Amino acid sequence: MRGRHVVDISSTYKRVALKDHVNAYSKQESPVRFTGYPSWKRSLPHVIVATLASFLFGYHLGVVNETLESISLDLAFSGSTLAEGLVVSTCLGGAFIGSLFSGWIADGVGRRRALQLCALPMIIGASMSATTKNLWGMLLGRLFVGTGMGLGPAVAALYVSEVSPAYVRGTFGSFTQISSCLGLLGSLFMGLQAKGIVGWWRACFWVSIIPAALLALLMEFSAESPHWLFKSGRTSQAEAEFEKLLGEAHVKYAYAELSKPDGGDDTEAVMLSDLLHGRHFKLIFIGSTLFALQQLSGINAVFYFSSAVFKSFGVPSDRANICIGVANFLGSIVAMILMDKLGRRVLLLGSFSVSMGLQVVGASSFPSSTEAFYLSAGGMLLFVLTFSLGAGPVPSLLLSEIFPGQIRAKAMAFCMSVHWVINFFVGLLFLPLLEQIGAQILYTVFGAFCLISVIFVKRNVVETKGKSLQEIEMALLPVE
């Protein structure tokens, strides 16, 4: 019943063009008229600064990839798979904590201050990791970094969706994914010298302080989200920020859109219980399920498995990881180009559909022939490429669009927490399951989750391309 109701809304969206909706609103409800699209150049610098949080996320996710062997030797835990696993996964625990509280922080101090705050634990944690003499110092540093990793991307997705003009919001939203890919590639390239230069791994952590400091500094000169200011009752400041982001000619129209009644009470405090039942439950369910299916598609398993596949054919792991990173980056670039042309829903359906087929290729991971190697390795690269076209960048952008302003930050925080929990268990259970049930069955399971994702997207996900956040909110959350 829920799925049918959302699909009906989606079909309604398809029948009503954005300009028709705007003109109807201008004639019937407001004397303010649509004056054309604002220049995207005004908001672009603010978006780029915010995506530094995503860059740091990607960098710290990959910084231990090539350096872990050197770290284990220097800190005297070489040979302990448990210790190595803790160094990799401790930041995931910190990320869960950071993402869980990100909504309350973003609503309490604003998007701009929240992004500055996320830089602080990353600077402290990276410094601790770079200077530590033992395993415990490294783990504590990774925990600090993780809290920033959990806080930053969630708030960055919110900020980008709220400061971007509707007609380029998909393109700008893709910048967060591209920035993550650049951070990951940057960490891999930095780590190339780790095995040849003693102590180079410490430099890899020190370098990450530069973008973190830039994020904290440059956000001081960036615009605050007008949506957050309006919700906080600071209406004059919201108008001033609209002028900074859109230009003077578009302030009145943008403010009129923001002032549309939505049937909710923005003055009410939102509790965690409010997200789990009542009129918001459907949207929270869609968002949480999308993030869960994103992780259960097997993308992290491919990242974990790729080095072993390439290494079994004599290809160094560093080259393998860079190939995977480049495929991820290229897919994200294409997604940025297509996001506001094809739409979010089309990219999600196409990405999950092709990924499902490529899981069959992934099942042939350890053959011995050269032909099988090209099939298996090529399948992995194509899987990463197709995943980054839709299933990777779309969920965080889509969720920041479909959640009402009253609950947007806290709902994003809750759904991102689900993402980190599923991510943790996929990483924890992948290798044991691979040994117990084998690659064919395991990759078939991943393919089945991709099929479930296609069905779920078809039944529950609306198209948000080109629509203002207020239009989406009024359609998805009608007055009770």
Side-chain angles (χ1 to χ4, degrees):
M1 193 69 183
R2 285 177 179 143
R4 191 179 301 127
H5 176 66
V6 176
V7 172
D8 290 342
I9 290 170
S10 178
S11 62
T12 301
Y13 265 158
K14 292 175 183 176
R15 291 195 298 268
V16 181
L18 174 61
K19 289 184 180 179
D20 292 339
H21 179 94
V22 168
N23 291 335
Y25 173 73
S26 298
K27 292 176 183 177
Q28 297 173 14
E29 298 185 32
S30 173
V32 180
R33 292 189 176 276
F34 182 65
T35 55
Y37 294 122
S39 172
W40 51 266
K41 294 179 182 178
R42 283 180 169 270
S43 52
L44 179 60
H46 307 275
V47 169
I48 290 175
V49 172
T51 58
L52 282 172
S54 298
F55 178 89
L56 286 161
F57 165 81
Y59 187 91
H60 284 293
L61 208 60
V63 71
V64 297
N65 194 307
E66 288 297 325
T67 60
L68 187 57
E69 183 179 338
S70 300
I71 293 171
S72 64
L73 289 171
D74 279 6
L75 302 185
F77 60 88
S78 180
S80 172
T81 55
L82 176 61
E84 291 177 354
L86 284 172
V87 170
V88 174
S89 61
T90 298
C91 69
L92 299 180
F96 170 76
I97 297 170
S99 65
L100 191 62
F101 291 100
S102 62
W104 280 263
I105 294 172
D107 276 347
V109 301
R111 304 347 182 192
R112 207 161 56 100
R113 292 288 181 244
L115 285 168
Q116 289 178 312
L117 282 176
C118 90
L120 183 60
M122 289 192 181
I123 292 172
I124 295 172
S127 301
M128 293 177 67
S129 296
T131 57
T132 186
K133 302 296 183 181
N134 54 58
L135 173 62
W136 294 109
M138 173 61 69
L139 294 180
L140 188 58
R142 294 288 285 168
L143 184 65
F144 268 94
V145 163
T147 58
M149 287 172 60
L151 174 61
V155 178
L158 277 176
Y159 181 83
V160 171
S161 71
E162 292 177 347
V163 304
S164 303
Y167 73 103
V168 292
R169 194 172 56 241
T171 301
F172 283 3
S174 300
F175 285 4
T176 58
Q177 176 73 8
I178 293 171
S179 190
S180 296
C181 296
L182 288 174
L184 180 62
L185 278 173
S187 67
L188 293 175
F189 278 112
M190 275 295 297
L192 289 178
Q193 302 298 322
K195 295 176 182 177
I197 301 176
V198 176
W200 180 257
W201 64 269
R202 296 184 186 274
C204 295
F205 284 101
W206 280 122
V207 165
S208 68
I209 293 176
I210 298 173
L214 283 174
L215 174 62
L217 175 64
L218 295 178
M219 281 309 301
E220 189 65 31
F221 304 98
S222 300
E224 181 55 273
S225 163
H227 293 255
W228 178 77
L229 290 170
F230 180 82
K231 190 173 72 170
S232 303
R234 296 152 69 174
T235 53
S236 59
Q237 288 179 266
E239 290 188 56
E241 296 302 88
F242 268 135
E243 183 174 351
K244 186 186 295 185
L245 292 165
L246 306 176
E248 185 178 356
H250 302 275
V251 172
K252 289 184 179 179
Y253 175 76
Y255 190 80
E257 280 282 295
L258 193 60
S259 304
K260 286 182 181 179
D262 57 13
D265 186 359
D266 286 349
T267 62
E268 293 180 357
V270 179
M271 307 297 291
L272 183 60
S273 58
D274 297 330
L275 305 180
L276 301 179
H277 62 77
R279 64 201 297 255
H280 300 305
F281 173 77
K282 178 178 64 181
L283 297 179
I284 300 298
F285 172 74
I286 291 172
S288 300
T289 305
L290 267 181
F291 269 131
L293 290 172
Q294 180 196 58
Q295 295 303 306
L296 292 170
S297 68
I299 183 62
N300 281 327
V302 170
F303 280 121
Y304 302 150
F305 208 30
S306 62
S307 294
V309 175
F310 282 93
K311 192 179 290 186
S312 69
F313 288 92
V315 179
S317 61
D318 54 354
R319 295 183 192 175
N321 290 325
I322 289 173
C323 286
I324 294 292
V326 169
N328 195 20
F329 174 71
L330 292 177
S332 300
I333 292 290
V334 176
M336 177 192 69
I337 297 170
L338 299 179
M339 195 72 75
D340 284 313
K341 294 181 179 179
L342 297 181
R344 289 55 151 161
R345 192 169 183 267
V346 171
L347 289 179
L348 269 180
L349 288 172
S351 180
F352 277 124
S353 297
V354 178
S355 296
M356 176 178 59
L358 290 172
Q359 293 291 0
V360 178
V361 178
S364 59
S365 290
F366 282 105
S368 56
S369 66
T370 304
E371 294 80 6
F373 162 66
Y374 286 117
L375 183 67
S376 183
M380 285 187 190
L381 292 174
L382 284 173
F383 176 54
V384 172
L385 181 68
T386 55
F387 180 89
S388 62
L389 286 173
V394 169
S396 59
L397 169 63
L398 185 70
L399 267 56
S400 65
E401 294 177 319
I402 67 172
F403 289 139
Q406 180 192 8
I407 67 164
R408 186 174 295 132
K410 296 180 177 68
M412 281 287 291
F414 181 86
C415 294
M416 284 293 289
S417 300
V418 172
H419 163 275
W420 284 111
V421 170
I422 302 297
N423 188 355
F424 175 80
F425 281 107
V426 168
L428 181 68
L429 299 176
F430 173 68
L431 288 178
L433 285 174
L434 185 66
E435 293 179 357
Q436 293 294 322
I437 64 177
Q440 279 191 321
I441 296 177
L442 186 55
Y443 276 82
T444 301
V445 170
F446 289 143
F449 277 115
C450 289
L451 176 60
I452 293 171
S453 302
V454 171
I455 297 170
F456 181 81
V457 170
K458 279 189 172 182
R459 295 193 60 183
N460 295 281
V461 173
V462 303
E463 184 52 70
T464 59
K465 177 185 68 171
K467 300 173 179 65
S468 72
L469 297 178
Q470 286 68 42
E471 290 177 289
I472 299 167
E473 180 171 342
M474 287 188 294
L476 285 176
L477 203 64
V479 180
E480 291 181 323

